Amino acid sequence: EAFTPQQERLALRMAQLASLALTNATLFEELGRANGFKLDFLSMMSHELRTPLSVITGYTRLLLDDCFGSLTLAQRDPLQRVDKKAWELYDLIATLLDVGHLEARQLSVKETETDIAVVLEEIKAELPELDTQQEVEFVWQLATELPVVHTDRPKLKVVLKKLIDNALKF
């Protein structure tokens, strides 16, 4: 028996939806492969950047530890800044790699009870130069009672540090 015009329209729409679903499945597969390539690239670049950075931090540490002779204050200060910036770059590379792993769902989020006030105090202790910024006055104002949250503590700390760093830069 022949299809009615309504059945033909319905069959045509179903065929269009099936075609769209197949196209989406193909695109999703290609996106997965592209993400894999991106993660491989990030991993390779991370390794390539960390290798010379390790040499820089190693020699800087040797110099700061007076392994090649005593340093003057005028020499020590720039070396300490180089060391600090090198470690910041190291953290940035690690963060980039973590983001790639998160996107590829290869890095899990480990939720724990986290006291935000404690995390902020740790950040304050880890960033003592905030008090010495000349261009910007940085003031810590914490609410008296911050909630305990369920989150990945190390990742929260990285995000908060980046927010503070970006606020100071821009």
Side-chain angles (χ1 to χ4, degrees):
E1 203 175 301
F3 286 141
T4 66
Q6 183 182 7
Q7 288 173 325
E8 284 180 12
R9 282 194 307 273
L10 181 62
L12 180 63
R13 297 286 184 237
M14 288 173 54
Q16 288 172 334
L17 287 174
S19 173
L20 185 61
L22 288 172
T23 301
N24 285 344
T26 302
L27 289 173
F28 188 74
E29 210 172 87
E30 289 174 13
L31 181 62
R33 279 197 303 275
N35 275 338
F37 291 138
K38 181 175 79 173
L39 185 58
D40 290 345
F41 174 77
L42 285 174
S43 296
M44 181 186 68
M45 288 309 300
S46 171
H47 174 73
E48 294 300 321
L49 291 170
R50 285 180 186 193
T51 301
L53 199 53
S54 294
V55 173
I56 292 168
T57 56
Y59 276 107
T60 304
R61 184 58 34 211
L62 287 171
L63 287 165
L64 288 170
D65 289 342
D66 296 327
C67 291
F68 301 110
S70 295
L71 297 174
T72 66
L73 187 59
Q75 294 169 324
R76 188 169 297 280
D77 183 53
L79 272 174
Q80 287 172 330
R81 281 186 272 149
V82 166
D83 189 53
K84 178 184 175 289
K85 293 299 179 184
W87 283 107
E88 286 176 10
L89 185 56
Y90 208 86
D91 286 343
L92 182 62
I93 293 166
T95 301
L96 241 156
L97 193 57
D98 283 351
V99 167
H101 284 292
L102 279 170
E103 286 177 353
R105 292 184 166 71
Q106 292 181 353
L107 183 67
S108 61
V109 174
K110 296 178 183 86
E111 288 187 25
T112 58
E113 277 193 4
T114 303
D115 186 338
I116 296 174
V118 171
V119 172
L120 289 171
E121 286 300 323
E122 287 175 8
I123 292 171
K124 184 178 179 181
E126 292 171 12
L127 302 173
E129 69 278 0
L130 291 176
D131 296 333
T132 61
Q133 291 285 334
Q134 294 173 354
E135 310 85 34
V136 177
E137 180 183 358
F138 191 87
V139 179
W140 286 91
Q141 282 186 311
L142 301 180
T144 53
E145 290 189 32
L146 291 172
V148 171
V149 296
H150 293 274
T151 188
D152 190 310
R153 191 174 195 283
K155 289 177 184 65
L156 173 65
K157 204 168 173 182
V158 167
V159 168
L160 292 174
K161 277 184 171 181
K162 294 296 176 196
L163 284 170
I164 292 168
D165 187 49
N166 285 341
L168 290 171
K169 284 181 188 172
F170 305 109

